[in-house]
Amino acid sequence: MDPTSKKIKIVKPFALYKWAKNFKRIQDRFYGNQYKLRRIQQIEDFITLNNFNKVHHIEEVRIDLELSPKIFTNNISDTDLILVTHQGYSRYPCIGIIEQIQEWLKSCPKLYICLNRHYLNIDNSNLDMDLPDDFQKAITSWLQKSLKDCVVMDLSRNYVDYGQHFTWSLPDRHYYIVKK
Amino acid sequence: MKKLIEHFSDYPMVENDQHNYTRYRMGRLKHQLWLHNRKRDEIILDTHDKFILDNLKPGNTCVFGSAGYYFEEVIPNLTVIEQWPIVKKFYPKAQIIEDRCEIAETNGRMFDNFVVVNNRGDIWTELSVVEKHIANYVQSMKPGCLFFYSFRDTQIVNWNRLKVNHKEYFHNFGLHIEKTYNLNLLWHDIRFATKQKDGAGNYDIWENPDTTNGNIKFVFEYKSKTKNIN
């Protein structure tokens, strides 16, 4: 085709996609909605087996937990577990993630947080040469060093993520953090 | 109870056109521009598109893996190459390849410009594999060919984001490509988010700049260094 005579309008790069909140549901359809993400089952089991009855869930992508709606509360001050699957917090600078975790722990001493490894240290502001070379171990070590007044338990599986682990449906690094 | 899944390959995916189109679209953001522009009297392009248009050399242009048909009305002598057969259904002129070595096998050394914009098929791997892709692209470039290459740092795999200086890591990659493939690095733009608290003491949750085109951008010139990039 010959170059156009149409008017050309130049705009700043903008987000061309609008499916963020439904991302998991779209990926579920890749498999005809027949399967369940293991990490979602892990969260449900964690909540059920530990008898958490008042869960404050902070989410972005809808992960469709199959738990009784009765256990969820909007009141962050009256909860026995804060569950964070919203990957926006992984896009905070490292110091901001730590500050936010400490803030949540003021409301509730038990936190289950899912972090997207690919976003961490998004602004290149937090380099620590003393951390392990293995990125996954380094994430755990960074959290433990930064939250000395907490017990940080790594509940993640270790693997190299080549973009085929549904990380944008549900972030991959799972931590249970309890204030000492 | 449903069976559990952890990895794309644990179970076979649905195989039909609708599914393939959805997966293709999710990874090719500029397809949205094509959908928008083809029905209107006005073409919308972003500032990175304009940057490419302003700097192209006269001659043949290849856009690979980047929904390049959205450029069709503004770039003459355009070759669009993709790896998803579904593209043929809505853009029959596209060349479909399986392996990148087919680009040169099919076209020879014919391109004066080679453009890859945030190609999902190029990333989700280590930089060493990205380099192998580039080695294939070079085979189809004429001497003097401009090579516009951009991608996102968050989809490069197997590096330690807590220990490695991001800016150095990607700049050094560009320098390595320059040295190894006779691709002179004319220009680069490597940007990361800048995070500061707002008045309420919160950080924004936005990603790195330009998730559409990629926040790591390079322009190389093959076997020469004559072009001034504006």
Side-chain angles (χ1 to χ4, degrees):
Chain A
M1 184 181 286
D2 291 331
T4 186
S5 56
K6 286 185 186 176
K7 186 182 167 198
I8 298 174
K9 182 179 176 184
I10 306 298
V11 299
K12 284 184 182 174
F14 59 100
L16 288 165
Y17 47 92
K18 298 179 175 65
W19 50 68
K21 286 186 178 176
N22 290 317
F23 196 84
K24 175 196 157 287
R25 293 176 181 173
I26 293 170
Q27 289 202 319
D28 283 347
R29 291 203 291 270
F30 291 177
Y31 298 89
N33 295 307
Q34 288 189 75
Y35 307 107
K36 181 175 187 175
L37 188 56
R38 188 202 60 78
R39 293 195 298 276
I40 289 177
Q41 184 68 48
Q42 174 176 317
I43 291 173
E44 291 173 0
D45 289 347
F46 182 85
I47 289 171
T48 305
L49 297 172
N50 289 292
N51 294 314
F52 289 113
N53 294 310
K54 282 192 278 186
V55 178
H56 180 76
H57 184 195
I58 301 170
E59 75 174 337
E60 175 192 36
V61 176
R62 297 179 183 98
I63 61 167
D64 304 315
L65 289 171
E66 293 179 287
L67 294 168
S68 166
K70 289 179 188 169
I71 71 158
F72 294 102
T73 172
N74 289 326
N75 184 356
I76 196 167
S77 302
D78 181 27
T79 181
D80 52 16
L81 179 73
I82 296 175
L83 168 65
V84 180
T85 59
H86 191 313
Q87 58 190 321
Y89 295 101
S90 304
R91 299 192 288 260
Y92 273 19
C94 287
I95 189 168
I97 295 172
I98 298 302
E99 287 173 1
Q100 183 61 63
I101 288 173
Q102 287 166 334
E103 197 61 33
W104 281 320
L105 291 171
K106 282 182 197 168
S107 299
C108 173
K110 295 177 180 174
L111 169 71
Y112 189 114
I113 186 169
C114 309
L115 296 170
N116 181 331
R117 74 174 83 179
H118 302 286
Y119 286 138
L120 294 178
N121 194 20
I122 194 159
D123 62 345
N124 194 26
S125 66
N126 188 90
L127 298 175
D128 181 351
M129 297 307 141
D130 292 333
L131 293 174
D133 289 337
D134 180 292
F135 183 36
Q136 297 163 105
K137 289 178 183 164
I139 296 167
T140 306
S141 182
W142 157 64
L143 287 170
Q144 288 170 337
K145 277 176 80 171
S146 306
L147 295 162
K148 289 206 167 70
D149 59 342
C150 300
V151 177
V152 177
M153 280 169 265
D154 184 358
L155 304 178
S156 324
R157 277 195 178 168
N158 291 333
Y159 49 81
V160 178
D161 182 6
Y162 288 96
Q164 300 190 322
H165 283 86
F166 306 97
T167 304
W168 267 257
S169 284
L170 177 63
D172 56 312
R173 304 304 300 176
H174 289 211
Y175 292 95
Y176 181 46
I177 301 174
V178 182
K179 199 145 175 99
K180 284 180 188 168
Chain B
M1 185 175 151
K2 286 180 177 174
K3 288 183 181 173
L4 302 182
I5 189 166
E6 181 114 43
H7 187 273
F8 276 14
S9 65
D10 286 349
Y11 299 101
M13 283 191 193
V14 171
E15 188 58 49
N16 59 44
D17 284 353
Q18 175 65 45
H19 164 82
N20 290 334
Y21 179 67
T22 302
R23 285 199 69 206
Y24 172 80
R25 270 198 72 178
M26 289 174 83
R28 302 294 183 289
L29 302 179
K30 287 291 179 74
H31 181 78
Q32 185 68 30
L33 280 187
W34 179 72
L35 290 173
H36 179 277
N37 291 342
R38 69 191 177 131
K39 292 179 183 170
R40 289 171 174 79
D41 295 332
E42 175 184 74
I43 294 176
I44 288 184
L45 297 173
D46 70 29
T47 49
H48 186 60
D49 299 324
K50 180 162 192 312
F51 168 80
I52 292 170
L53 292 178
D54 287 348
N55 285 288
L56 287 176
K57 285 188 172 180
N60 300 317
T61 298
C62 174
V63 182
F64 173 66
S66 313
Y69 36 85
Y70 77 96
F71 276 130
E72 184 179 70
E73 294 180 280
V74 291
I75 298 180
N77 304 316
L78 176 69
T79 301
V80 174
I81 306 179
E82 292 287 343
Q83 291 184 293
W84 287 70
I86 190 71
V87 177
K88 273 275 188 199
K89 301 253 177 179
F90 54 83
Y91 187 74
K93 283 197 278 183
Q95 284 184 23
I96 305 299
I97 60 162
E98 275 190 41
D99 193 291
R100 288 168 180 77
C101 66
E102 296 167 45
I103 299 173
E105 288 170 7
T106 304
N107 299 285
R109 201 175 273 286
M110 73 167 279
F111 296 117
D112 300 283
N113 305 285
F114 199 101
V115 180
V116 182
V117 179
N118 198 17
N119 174 16
R120 188 66 60 93
D122 268 24
I123 43 186
W124 282 121
T125 188
E126 292 90 349
L127 283 181
S128 57
V129 178
V130 176
E131 178 182 343
K132 287 178 184 167
H133 299 332
I134 291 173
N136 274 312
Y137 305 148
V138 169
Q139 299 305 311
S140 67
M141 296 179 188
K142 284 183 191 168
C145 176
L146 291 180
F147 178 37
F148 299 81
Y149 196 74
S150 60
F151 57 97
R152 291 167 66 182
D153 70 301
T154 52
Q155 296 176 348
I156 294 298
V157 166
N158 222 359
W159 62 295
N160 192 332
R161 299 180 61 90
L162 293 169
K163 292 190 78 169
V164 174
N165 184 307
H166 304 10
K167 204 152 194 168
E168 284 177 16
Y169 185 62
F170 290 103
H171 187 219
N172 287 341
F173 174 70
L175 295 175
H176 171 73
I177 294 299
E178 174 176 57
K179 198 166 66 178
T180 310
Y181 297 97
N182 214 344
L183 283 164
N184 291 298
L185 181 58
L186 303 181
W187 177 92
H188 67 277
D189 183 18
I190 299 172
R191 292 190 203 187
F192 298 94
T194 51
K195 298 279 178 174
Q196 287 182 327
K197 285 183 178 175
D198 62 19
N202 299 314
Y203 292 99
D204 69 66
I205 59 168
W206 305 121
E207 270 207 51
N208 280 326
D210 203 353
T211 54
T212 301
N213 297 294
N215 57 316
I216 315 290
K217 299 184 177 86
F218 298 111
V219 181
F220 301 92
E221 184 174 333
Y222 182 51
K223 283 192 170 177
S224 58
K225 199 170 189 175
T226 59
K227 175 79 177 173
N228 287 320
I229 298 298
N230 304 307

